[in-house]
Amino acid sequence: MTAALQSDYPPEGGWTTDDLDALPEDGRRRELLDGVLIVSPSPTRVHQTIAGRLMVALEEVCPDEYDVTQAVEVRINRTRSFFPDVLVTTSVAAAREPSRYEPHEVVLAVEIVSPSTRSIDRVLKPALYAQAGIPFHWRIEVEDGTPVVHTYKIDPVDEVYTETGRWAKFVDTGEPFPVNLSISRLTPRHR
């Protein structure tokens, strides 16, 4: 379906994950929302620094039954596919060396809010991650140059997240595994 990408119109019936698989590997992060193709702009230095530092910090305390990675696709269904900025999966799933995960393999999905995707990062993705059954979600906002981490746990009955903390100095949570992390470790250097 690469022809559809070169026209002004999506494929008939909307985009699917099969269409994504047929697109060239060009470094663009393409996500799907109910058959609508979303192409995000390149992330900023601040965004990438926070994601990299968080990944390293989580990896240091991650138990063997889990794995930490960055920006690997989570394929929710044929018309929904997202790339969390940082994610924790089961080690069994990671052992497959996947290029994508199924939602049941993901334990924690982290989104770092970007100005251009604010509504998607704050509202849409958390709602869809919860509907998909991903147990934990973190949202990171940058306030006055400093990251603030909002942590959430799923209510499996209502398929929504409930906030478990707002962390401006330290992230100190036991879920999905014990994390005691100074926010200063995530904070990019100001140039």
Side-chain angles (χ1 to χ4, degrees), residues 98-154:
S99 61
R100 69 182 66 94
Y101 289 101
E102 299 294 320
H104 71 274
E105 298 172 316
V106 180
V107 179
L108 168 65
V110 180
E111 292 295 339
I112 301 164
V113 176
S114 295
S116 62
T117 58
R118 189 173 288 124
S119 296
I120 292 170
D121 294 339
R122 288 180 178 165
V123 180
L124 186 66
K125 284 185 177 181
L128 297 177
Y129 291 154
Q131 281 182 358
I134 296 172
F136 300 96
H137 171 65
W138 291 8
R139 186 184 81 241
I140 301 177
E141 303 264 357
V142 178
E143 298 176 8
D144 298 322
T146 303
V148 175
V149 179
H150 302 261
T151 57
Y152 300 87
K153 181 178 182 176
I154 196 169

Side-chain angles (χ1 to χ4, degrees), residues 32-131:
L32 280 182
L33 172 60
D34 297 334
V36 175
L37 186 66
I38 300 169
V39 182
S40 299
S42 294
T44 65
R45 179 191 73 83
V46 168
H47 181 283
Q48 293 303 87
T49 300
I50 293 169
R53 290 179 178 197
L54 177 62
M55 182 183 152
V56 169
L58 289 176
E59 180 67 27
E60 289 173 0
V61 296
C62 183
D64 289 342
E65 64 264 25
Y66 299 122
D67 185 71
V68 183
T69 192
Q70 272 186 285
V72 177
E73 180 183 6
V74 177
R75 212 166 253 192
I76 295 174
N77 60 37
R78 282 184 43 82
T79 61
R80 289 183 183 165
S81 176
F82 298 110
F83 287 82
D85 294 314
V86 176
L87 58 158
V88 175
T89 67
T90 66
S91 59
V92 171
R96 293 187 294 108
E97 296 293 330
S99 61
R100 69 182 66 94
Y101 289 101
E102 299 294 320
H104 71 274
E105 298 172 316
V106 180
V107 179
L108 168 65
V110 180
E111 292 295 339
I112 301 164
V113 176
S114 295
S116 62
T117 58
R118 189 173 288 124
S119 296
I120 292 170
D121 294 339
R122 288 180 178 165
V123 180
L124 186 66
K125 284 185 177 181
L128 297 177
Y129 291 154
Q131 281 182 358

